[in-house]
Amino acid sequence: MEIAILGIALVVLLMLGVPVAFALLGASIACFLALDIPLVVVFQRMASGISVFSLMAIPFFIFAGDLMYRSGIAERLVQVAGAVFAPARGGLGLVNVGASTLFGAVSGSAIASASAMGSTLIPLMREKGYDGDYAVNVTVTAAIVGLLIPPSHNMIIYSAASGIGVSISDLFLAGVVPGLLAAGLLGLTAWLVARRRNYPKGTFPGWGALFRAMIYAMPGIMTAVIIMGGILSGIFTPTESSAIAVVYTILVGTLVYRSLGLRTFLETVTQSVRITALVLMIIGAATAFGYALAIMEAPAQLANLITALTDNPILVLLIINVALLLLGTFMDMSPLIVITTPILLPVAMQVGVDPVHFGIIMMLNLGIGLVTPPVGSVLFVGAAVGKIRIEQAVKTILPFYVALLVALILVTYVPALSLALPNMVK
């Protein structure tokens, strides 16, 4: 009965348009009242959910990503990708995927990538004769790569939600190959669609221009090298690396590129504080919601239900993937990670799935939800930047969905794609 109250309350609140954090909080309160548990426990669980040291990395990575966007690093990455991919048919689509992959390697945020690449490339693509729906579809789906290429603050949330201390360093390494795989499949799709629509070819600017573009972009690219190099060498922890990323980005923006002024810096601080507050509020509310589920032993019941249906790892992972894909269309990524990880991770581990591998499956799976209506936040950002209707983008996005789903299938059923690098450095 209490589980029904929790679920119905959440669905009703979301249908009424209540923000996700408050819908989770309201459903938790309704459940606690039904269970006759003091409401102070709700707020205790919220506080404990965000009082995790590793979560300190989230505001720093958000801040660093926004600084990278505003300090001109994104434009320099576009120049590198443009010099490499522009000569191909529909080359600007490949430039978009390549630049998004590079930007993901230094920002780790899908929304930041969609904003940065969208504002830079979508107007240019339309000016060169590309359709608006194509430009938006390439931009938003390529932005998903940033969730896999380290650093990714969603991996930090997963590590905290797992309850077993999944290594953040291992998660960062595990995302590299799947991220490159997803980028490759999206690039192939962008090229095939461009050929079918007969988009124009670009011209190769010359080896000198490519070399100069790489030199100009190198300070920004070094952000990812410093972060991962420092973590793997043991010089600093993933949490410390987030603070170092902020300091390094400020130095690059002010001393190297000289594009980060006081006004821009203050705007970045304000925006980052807002996003951080939203993310942490969602994490806190989702923690209280997850605690309510745990009290009613919902994770154990779900595990028993799935294992009663089958104990075949292939089928279990298929069920989990389908469930996550459906949930991802209705709820944002951060709360879903906090809610579903304690429920689904034990089920996956019961059939022999490595928790690091499962984390990458979850990142890619829920990332697809970010570009799927009705709650596809990255899709909404891309459509807004591209100045087209959501319906117009969705009509032609299917080939890019297929590319992401193929990547998801490969990542799910070929564990070596995720685990080879972490195992190599152990």
Side-chain angles (χ1 to χ4, degrees):
M1 178 63 182
E2 289 80 5
I3 292 181
I5 292 174
L6 185 70
I8 292 172
L10 178 63
V11 171
V12 170
L13 289 171
L14 289 174
M15 291 179 64
L16 291 174
V18 176
V20 172
F22 294 101
L24 291 168
L25 187 58
S28 302
I29 290 173
C31 181
F32 277 45
L33 288 173
L35 292 169
D36 198 25
I37 297 175
L39 293 184
V40 67
V41 176
V42 175
F43 302 101
Q44 289 175 344
R45 300 313 302 178
M46 288 184 66
S48 67
I50 60 177
S51 299
V52 179
F53 179 73
S54 60
L55 292 182
M56 287 183 63
I58 293 176
F60 285 116
F61 277 133
I62 290 173
F63 188 29
D66 206 10
L67 283 170
M68 292 169 195
Y69 167 45
R70 295 174 186 266
S71 62
I73 290 177
E75 287 82 355
R76 287 162 176 83
L77 297 178
V78 168
Q79 291 172 5
V80 173
V84 175
F85 297 114
R89 172 74 63 185
L92 284 180
L94 298 177
V95 170
N96 200 325
V97 175
S100 295
T101 302
L102 292 173
F103 190 73
V106 296
S107 73
S109 169
I111 289 183
S113 180
S115 300
M117 295 301 107
S119 60
T120 304
L121 282 172
I122 290 178
L124 177 61
M125 293 176 74
R126 300 189 76 160
E127 180 184 327
K128 297 295 184 181
Y130 292 75
D131 296 314
D133 62 317
Y134 175 84
V136 170
N137 290 339
V138 173
T139 300
V140 298
T141 51
I144 303 305
V145 176
L147 300 171
L148 299 170
I149 301 287
S152 170
H153 67 262
N154 286 294
M155 292 182 182
I156 299 169
I157 296 174
Y158 169 78
S159 175
S162 69
I164 58 173
V166 179
S167 170
I168 296 174
S169 302
D170 286 350
L171 287 168
F172 280 2
L173 283 172
V176 174
V177 175
L180 294 176
L181 171 66
L185 289 171
L186 287 171
L188 175 62
T189 303
W191 178 72
L192 291 173
V193 174
R195 286 194 61 184
R196 191 179 66 202
R197 297 191 182 189
N198 199 32
Y199 288 144
K201 290 183 178 181
T203 56
F204 181 58
W207 293 105
L210 173 59
F211 180 74
R212 286 192 298 272
M214 293 180 67
I215 293 297
Y216 293 149
M218 191 55 64
I221 296 174
M222 283 300 295
T223 307
V225 176
I226 291 172
I227 291 172
M228 290 307 300
I231 293 173
L232 295 178
S233 63
I235 297 175
F236 42 73
T237 67
T239 303
E240 292 166 346
S241 74
S242 62
I244 291 170
V246 170
V247 174
Y248 178 79
T249 305
I250 292 174
L251 292 176
V252 170
T254 55
L255 301 180
V256 180
Y257 294 150
R258 298 185 179 182
S259 55
L260 186 64
L262 179 60
R263 180 176 178 180
T264 303
F265 178 80
L266 293 177
E267 289 175 351
T268 304
V269 171
T270 302
Q271 180 68 8
S272 299
V273 168
R274 288 175 179 170
I275 295 174
T276 299
L278 175 62
V279 171
L280 293 181
M281 180 66 186
I282 290 174
I283 292 174
T287 302
F289 187 88
Y291 182 70
L293 289 172
I295 289 175
M296 296 177 290
E297 299 182 346
Q301 293 180 34
L302 179 61
N304 292 334
L305 175 62
I306 293 177
T307 53
L309 293 173
T310 179
D311 58 358
N312 186 317
I314 295 176
L315 294 179
V316 169
L317 287 173
L318 176 62
I319 293 171
I320 290 175
N321 270 329
V322 171
L324 288 175
L325 285 171
L326 291 175
L327 289 171
T329 64
F330 294 101
M331 192 177 293
D332 209 0
M333 188 168 187
S334 297
L336 275 177
I337 292 174
V338 180
I339 293 170
T340 59
T341 297
I343 298 174
L344 297 177
L345 178 58
V347 179
M349 292 177 65
Q350 190 172 328
V351 293
V353 179
D354 187 280
V356 172
H357 176 210
F358 185 74
I360 304 306
I361 294 173
M362 180 170 280
M363 294 304 109
L364 180 53
N365 197 313
L366 297 183
I368 295 173
L370 294 179
V371 293
T372 308
V375 192
S377 55
V378 173
L379 180 61
F380 277 89
V381 169
V385 172
K387 298 179 181 179
I388 66 171
R389 299 190 312 276
I390 294 292
E391 297 84 354
Q392 187 178 349
V394 171
K395 284 180 180 178
T396 55
I397 201 173
L398 181 60
F400 298 94
Y401 280 150
V402 171
L404 289 173
L405 289 174
V406 170
L408 177 61
I409 292 170
L410 292 174
V411 169
T412 299
Y413 294 114
V414 186
L417 293 173
S418 302
L419 300 178
L421 280 181
N423 292 335
M424 194 179 299
V425 300
K426 287 182 178 178

